[in-house]
């Protein structure tokens, strides 16, 4: 029990806390400790882990929204230990950390989010991310591609340029994060989700350029929605969906009285080179615009 308490204390000190405002940001999910099933019977090795077999890193995206992957290390030791893993990445790519260190009880795994930045003049191709402990090395391919080469699953807004009317500065709320493919609210205030800077002042707008005229007939919006901060109390309530057609913004759908974490808007197909959300009201007294993701299909 003393080992477990110490481990959790170390992890807690390593976690960044965003500046407080109301509602208090969700705790960042940057580092966590997870019990592994079964009884540890290893030889004392540290095993590197990664959340994906391959990382896709698109070119020409906003630097505030780099590619990200979860990395970690698992202890197979019979005793608790202070563990360290080095992080290496082929140039010119750069990583948000060069190592991962933590106190690890037997059979535990520490995890962290790793951000991978791709300079604008990087050549397309496959690079290598290497996670090294004293006993093992895990190599993860990092494929640098054009945005047009992404498998977007039909979402024409994925990784496209985003502009917003304002941005809250008390934590990490980049507008580009609403087009990064992550619908989860768990990264709120830690780089996943946009919050405007004008409490109780409407409208707020956020627009996504589609990279040329594309036929769209549906827009999905995901607002903040967690157990601690449900959409019915803190999420976006009223908004218009607009499409830029022939250089002019047209309202193609309206949402009113929303209390859910996501809402789908269907409309007659239009050929648009951008989509825009015009936020009109939120649920609750704090009245900011909080959007996690916008998808256009």
């Amino acid at each position: 029990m003393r080992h477990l308490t110490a481990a959790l204390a170390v992890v807690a000190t390593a976690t960044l806390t965003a500046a407080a405002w109301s509602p208090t940001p969700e705790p960042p999910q940057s580092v966590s400790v997870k019990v592994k099933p079964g009884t540890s019977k290893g030889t004392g090795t540290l095993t590197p882990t990664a959340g994906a077999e391959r990382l896709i890193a698109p070119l020409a995206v906003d630097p505030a929204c780099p590619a990200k992957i979860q990395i970690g290390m698992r202890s197979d030791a019979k005793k608790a230990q202070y563990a360290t893993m080095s992080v290496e990445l082929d140039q010119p790519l750069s990583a948000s950390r060069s190592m991962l260190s933590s106190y690890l009880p037997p059979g535990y795994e520490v995890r962290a989010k790793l951000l991978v930045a791709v300079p604008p003049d990087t050549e397309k191709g496959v690079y290598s991310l290497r996670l090294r402990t004293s006993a093992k090395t895990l190599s993860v391919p990092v494929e640098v591609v054009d945005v047009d080469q992404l498998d977007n699953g039909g979402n024409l807004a994925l990784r496209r340029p985003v502009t917003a009317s304002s941005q809250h500065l008390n934590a990490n709320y980049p507008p580009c994060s609403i087009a990064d493919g992550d619908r989860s609210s768990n990264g709120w205030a830690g780089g996943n989700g946009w919050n405007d800077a004008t409490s109780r002042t409407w409208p707020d707008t956020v627009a996504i350029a589609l990279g040329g005229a594309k036929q769209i007939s549906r827009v999905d919006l995901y607002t903040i929605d967690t157990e601690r901060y449900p959409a019915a109390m803190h999420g976006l309530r009223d908004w218009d969906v607009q499409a830029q057609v022939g250089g002019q913004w047209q309202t193609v759908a309206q949402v009113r009285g929303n209390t859910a974490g996501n809402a789908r808007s269907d409309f007659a197909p239009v050929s648009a080179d951008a989509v825009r959300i015009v936020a009109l009201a939120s649920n609750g007294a704090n009245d900011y615009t909080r959007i996690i993701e916008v998808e256009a299909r």
Side-chain angles (χ1 to χ4, degrees), residues 7 15 28 30 38 66 75 94 188 198 224 227 255 277 291-292 296:
T15 302
S30 57
S75 173
S94 60
W188 182 250
T198 57
I224 187 171
E227 183 177 356
V255 177
I277 301 299
I291 297 177
I292 302 298

Side-chain angles (χ1 to χ4, degrees), residues 218-222 262-265 277 293-297:
R218 168 183 164 188
V219 168
D220 296 85
L221 184 144
Y222 294 79
N262 66 283
R264 169 174 169 169
S265 297
I277 301 299
E293 193 79 5
V294 175
E295 299 176 352
R297 303 177 184 277

